[in-house]
Amino acid sequence: MAGATSTVKDRVAELRAAIEEHNHRYYVLDRPSVSDAEYDRLLRELQELEAEHPRLIEPDSPTQRVGARPADGFETVTHSIPMLSLANAFSNEEVAEFDRRLRERLDLDELTYVIEPKLDGLAIALRYEHGRLVLGATRGDGRQGENVTTNVRTVRSIPLKLRGNNIPQALEVRGEIFMERSGFEQLNRRLSEAGQKTFVNPRNAAAGSLRQLDPAITAQRPLRFYCYGAATEDGLPDTHLGCLEQLQQWGLPVSPEISQASGLEGLEAGYARLAERRNELDYEIDGVVYKLDSLDQQGEVGFVSRAPRWALAHKFPAQEEITRLLAIEVQVGRTGALTPVARLEPVFVGGVTVTNATLHNAEEVQRKDVRPGDWVVVRRAGDVIPEVVASVPERRPSAARPWVMPSNCPECGSAVEQVDGEAVARCSGGLVCPAQRRRALEHFAARSAMDIDGLGSKLIAQLVEADLVLSPADLYRLDEATLQQLDRMGRKSASNLVRALEQSRHTTLARLLFALGIREVGEVTAAQLARHFGSLQGIAEADAEVLAGVPDVGPVVAAHVQAFFAEPHNREVIEQLLAAGVEYEVETPRRPEAMPLAGKTYVLTGSLQAMTRARARAALEEQGAKVTSSVSKNTTAVIAGTQPGSKLERASDLGVTVLDENALLALLSSLE
Ligand code: 9MJ
């Protein structure tokens, strides 16, 4: 028994020490070495142990205070009203429990809440006296923070002077300073070019920028501010939402994502809405915050330690985690491009278990100083491919050595070429390299290329391994008997595949051209070339200038097309394909002046829902239109999607017609 208690005691001490260290790294050094999710897990474990063994609670346990003591270098300020922290929830059950507890305490059936995005920045207190900003302070430990007024004054969205009526003598505003993703990326690019250390994420960048001792540096950083609370002796509206509206009228920025909700259902709907919006916003949010709307009700339920009972932060699943980088392997692409890939200790991040992540190229591995054996920050946001963001040098094993790109292809041993000025290294093996061959065949068989049903990557790997297929043309020589000798290939699958191959022979020029895998000739470009020339022969014989004149084809793509057809091996493959019975309908090229949109010029701005901008552009160009990037008085119309840019303003200044996406779709379908 005594043994069990001392184990708990040891664990509590261990957790406290670890959390204190992480607090220091996070709040004072702006260099955390664990993910937020890992930190939350440690804090939760400590909270649970303390709840089970209340005798172990001590006043200086990290559960009893928020954040860390102020760092040196800034004057310490004592907050006139302590800065609160928020209780966290990670599941719907915990949210239901929060709502149930409040209903019980207030003896009401349904409560009205305000739902706010939980900004992932740095909490800040602003003090206005007679409408003028007199103080800006970080949260620090909640009771005392750092006086960062000079730096806060450089943040453009923070008004130095309030506007409007009935401005209180003294007003205390609480909110979050954060950095937009786009600004963060730009800043990191700038730092990296200057040979300086980059920031791991926008939150660290915001904290690091605000806590600069030189305000001139802060001023250059793209910081923004939203407020989410206020206090004054002079009286404010009696609801939280009312207060936020009042703050906005005084010129303080309030997030447009804030909404009101009724009951648990309303909270769940609000969470779902913001979870959906999460990746569309240009700033990071790590959850939502629920707050009781009525200030009377807030007063009635009060606080527990430093967190209000009337608010709850419902966290989203983490998009960043820290895990072990087991190895860096090299993947060979279709055109021989070599991509370093991180093999990771499996980690649950962004809703899935991640075991691999791209490292893009050797330069990136070097820039991020990622070494096999390191602990690394892995990020997966939305449907985006998982990425290794940074290493955590503090946790680096002493044996970890920098990684270098191998000088020979790991698949075929051919020399690796590094073209000057290009970030990518390439295997020089061409189709001798089995990896390039596999990728070329996968591309050839893909749905948007020759659409060979049932020819997946596993089967392709077998065909290449057995030397049954050296080039795409060999596919058409496969028969059922040969196929049946392969692993997991029964009679039925073999006959289905032969039929699928047979069907794929009849195709379009655009698909065939795309299937050949010419560098930088994607689907849209292939379609443009097909329409313009009408035959493979025509494209193969075209000179560079004519090629470059085709919409969507510039001098670079034109050079790739020419190089492809100049290669005897490629010509041979084409001849073999045609000999194997691959055929496409010859399209008669349309004369540009006969096209319905000939002579018209369009500009696209904002994002479209039904198609990408590239597709819209290709569709317009197919009908003979020109698509340009700047608006002039000669522009026929500007097509504006959601969140259009300054082009829309310019169009209205010049009196140019503006079409929305529906009008574009109507225009295109009228021409079909
Ligand atoms: C953030 N981080 O966006 C609060 N917060 O309210 C919002 N933080 C908060 N509210 C009381 N939206 C204490 C902290």
Side-chain angles (χ1 to χ4, degrees):
M1 203 58 208
T5 316
S6 86
T7 321
V8 170
K9 236 169 127 174
D10 288 349
R11 181 65 186 150
V12 163
E14 195 174 279
L15 287 166
R16 283 181 186 157
I19 293 166
E20 284 296 351
E21 174 63 20
H22 295 321
N23 275 346
H24 179 73
R25 300 195 59 85
Y26 181 107
Y27 289 107
V28 181
L29 306 179
D30 299 325
R31 285 187 58 77
S33 63
V34 290
S35 65
D36 289 2
E38 201 170 331
Y39 177 86
D40 285 341
R41 280 191 293 272
L42 295 173
L43 192 63
R44 276 232 144 179
E45 190 185 339
L46 180 58
Q47 279 165 342
E48 279 162 18
L49 285 177
E50 288 182 351
E52 278 168 33
H53 307 272
R55 274 185 321 165
L56 296 180
I57 299 179
E58 284 170 17
D60 62 354
S61 169
T63 55
Q64 308 300 303
R65 65 189 190 89
V66 195
R69 279 175 223 299
D72 295 338
F74 290 102
E75 186 193 320
T76 301
V77 274
T78 303
H79 297 299
S80 56
I81 311 160
M83 285 189 83
L84 307 169
S85 68
L86 291 169
N88 284 331
F90 296 89
S91 68
N92 289 340
E93 289 71 43
E94 289 171 277
V95 178
E97 182 56 26
F98 163 75
D99 176 59
R100 193 192 57 74
R101 265 197 321 262
L102 289 178
R103 279 188 291 114
E104 231 171 59
R105 270 182 192 272
L106 295 166
D107 197 18
L108 288 168
D109 289 337
E110 189 175 81
L111 299 173
T112 302
Y113 294 99
V114 172
I115 302 186
E116 302 173 355
K118 185 170 182 302
L119 304 162
D120 202 6
L122 142 109
I124 211 88
L126 303 177
R127 188 170 172 81
Y128 286 89
E129 283 173 6
H130 307 287
R132 284 176 195 279
L133 177 68
V134 294
L135 180 70
T138 63
R139 177 158 66 186
D141 64 5
R143 200 174 57 82
Q144 290 189 317
E146 298 145 313
N147 184 338
V148 286
T149 314
T150 342
N151 291 350
V152 159
R153 293 174 77 88
T154 69
V155 177
R156 261 164 264 163
S157 49
I158 295 180
L160 299 179
K161 204 167 154 256
L162 299 179
R163 51 165 73 205
N165 305 317
N166 303 323
I167 291 172
Q169 274 209 344
L171 176 71
E172 185 84 20
V173 178
R174 300 282 158 88
E176 199 89 354
I177 286 188
F178 58 95
M179 193 178 283
E180 287 184 345
R181 284 184 230 268
S182 45
F184 161 74
E185 277 154 25
Q186 244 172 27
L187 170 65
N188 261 358
R189 231 173 293 136
R190 230 172 50 209
L191 291 173
S192 158
E193 278 163 16
Q196 286 172 308
K197 205 159 171 49
T198 54
F199 289 102
V200 171
N201 56 37
R203 190 205 49 229
N204 290 336
S209 300
L210 193 74
R211 299 168 67 256
Q212 279 285 339
L213 290 175
D214 178 1
I217 296 181
T218 312
Q220 289 167 13
R221 301 283 170 84
L223 295 172
R224 278 182 55 183
F225 174 74
Y226 275 141
C227 61
Y228 48 66
T232 171
E233 308 254 293
D234 299 357
L236 278 167
D238 57 8
T239 62
H240 181 61
L241 199 63
C243 286
L244 295 178
E245 275 160 8
Q246 176 63 78
L247 292 174
Q248 194 159 29
Q249 277 164 21
W250 285 330
L252 286 152
V254 175
S255 164
E257 306 294 331
I258 293 178
S259 62
Q260 210 179 34
S262 296
L264 183 59
E265 262 176 44
L267 298 184
E268 285 171 0
Y271 178 85
R273 184 176 54 80
L274 280 165
E276 184 119 326
R277 296 268 297 137
R278 182 182 193 183
N279 291 310
E280 289 167 27
L281 300 173
D282 194 26
Y283 46 87
E284 299 211 330
I285 60 176
D286 60 346
V288 297
V289 185
Y290 309 131
K291 292 178 181 168
L292 269 180
D293 194 22
S294 155
L295 298 192
D296 280 346
Q297 289 175 2
Q298 288 189 3
E300 205 173 323
V301 300
F303 302 83
V304 54
S305 73
R306 290 280 173 78
R309 282 206 185 85
W310 43 263
L312 183 73
H314 189 181
K315 296 286 241 355
F316 292 141
Q319 291 187 325
E320 267 182 23
E321 274 290 359
I322 290 180
T323 190
R324 200 65 179 266
L325 174 62
L326 303 174
I328 298 180
E329 287 173 11
V330 172
Q331 213 165 56
V332 187
R334 176 166 60 81
T335 57
L338 300 177
T339 310
V341 177
R343 301 280 175 233
L344 303 165
E345 191 136 304
V347 60
F348 191 73
V349 55
V352 296
T353 300
V354 171
T355 47
N356 301 318
T358 178
L359 281 163
H360 302 289
N361 54 55
E363 197 186 312
E364 180 117 342
V365 178
Q366 206 173 40
R367 190 170 59 76
K368 291 180 176 167
D369 188 19
V370 174
R371 306 179 181 188
D374 265 348
W375 289 89
V376 291
V377 181
V378 177
R379 183 179 168 80
R380 182 183 179 270
D383 293 331
V384 181
I385 312 170
E387 198 192 8
V388 171
V389 181
S391 61
V392 184
E394 294 76 11
R395 292 171 75 178
R396 168 168 292 159
S398 55
R401 295 282 163 270
W403 179 84
V404 283
M405 181 64 88
S407 47
N408 292 89
C409 171
E411 293 253 5
C412 69
S414 301
V416 169
E417 290 173 341
Q418 180 82 53
V419 179
D420 278 350
E422 260 190 52
V424 267
R426 283 178 201 282
C427 158
S428 59
L431 287 184
V432 168
C433 174
Q436 290 193 50
R437 208 181 298 155
R438 286 197 307 268
R439 302 263 182 270
L441 290 166
E442 283 164 13
H443 176 78
F444 185 83
R447 196 165 303 266
S448 48
M450 297 299 276
D451 193 16
I452 308 172
D453 209 20
L455 186 57
S457 55
K458 291 218 174 76
L459 187 51
I460 288 174
Q462 281 196 66
L463 292 168
V464 169
E465 171 79 8
D467 269 343
L468 287 170
V469 175
L470 298 179
S471 86
D474 295 340
L475 290 170
Y476 293 100
R477 284 195 267 272
L478 294 170
D479 56 26
E480 286 183 34
T482 314
L483 285 171
Q484 275 183 54
Q485 293 165 13
L486 298 173
D487 273 359
R488 281 187 294 169
M489 179 60 79
R491 251 187 45 204
K492 188 141 193 309
S493 324
S495 107
N496 285 346
L497 183 57
V498 170
R499 190 154 357 101
L501 280 160
E502 179 62 41
Q503 278 169 5
S504 77
R505 283 192 172 99
H506 313 282
T507 188
T508 63
L509 177 56
R511 277 175 176 273
L512 177 58
L513 193 58
F514 173 58
L516 292 175
I518 304 168
R519 271 177 72 185
E520 293 190 36
V521 176
E523 267 179 273
V524 173
T525 311
Q528 297 283 13
L529 287 165
R531 191 164 300 107
H532 192 272
F533 292 99
S535 72
L536 266 187
Q537 186 79 9
I539 300 167
E541 287 169 2
D543 61 36
E545 215 166 298
V546 178
L547 282 169
V550 175
D552 218 47
V553 180
V556 175
V557 179
H560 287 316
V561 172
Q562 285 209 310
F564 181 87
F565 286 102
E567 172 66 50
H569 170 80
N570 291 333
R571 280 179 173 320
E572 210 172 292
V573 169
I574 292 170
E575 267 161 36
Q576 287 171 1
L577 283 171
L578 299 177
V582 170
E583 55 178 19
Y584 58 87
E585 282 166 32
V586 176
E587 298 172 39
T588 17
R590 281 200 278 175
R591 281 181 299 120
E593 58 277 21
M595 296 191 200
L597 298 182
K600 299 206 176 348
T601 308
Y602 294 89
V603 174
L604 295 161
T605 178
S607 38
L608 303 174
Q609 308 302 312
M611 59 179 109
T612 62
R613 289 232 298 256
R615 281 256 167 219
R617 178 193 176 122
L620 289 164
E621 287 176 345
E622 267 171 33
Q623 305 296 342
K626 253 172 69 177
V627 177
T628 63
S629 55
S630 59
V631 184
S632 76
K633 62 182 190 332
N634 298 325
T635 305
T636 312
V638 168
I639 295 158
T642 51
Q643 296 183 317
S646 59
K647 290 169 189 170
L648 188 61
E649 280 166 39
R650 179 142 170 82
S652 71
D653 287 349
L654 294 172
V656 169
T657 309
V658 176
L659 302 178
D660 64 9
E661 181 168 357
N662 286 335
L664 168 69
L665 294 174
L667 169 71
L668 292 173
S669 66
S670 75
L671 302 173
E672 270 170 7

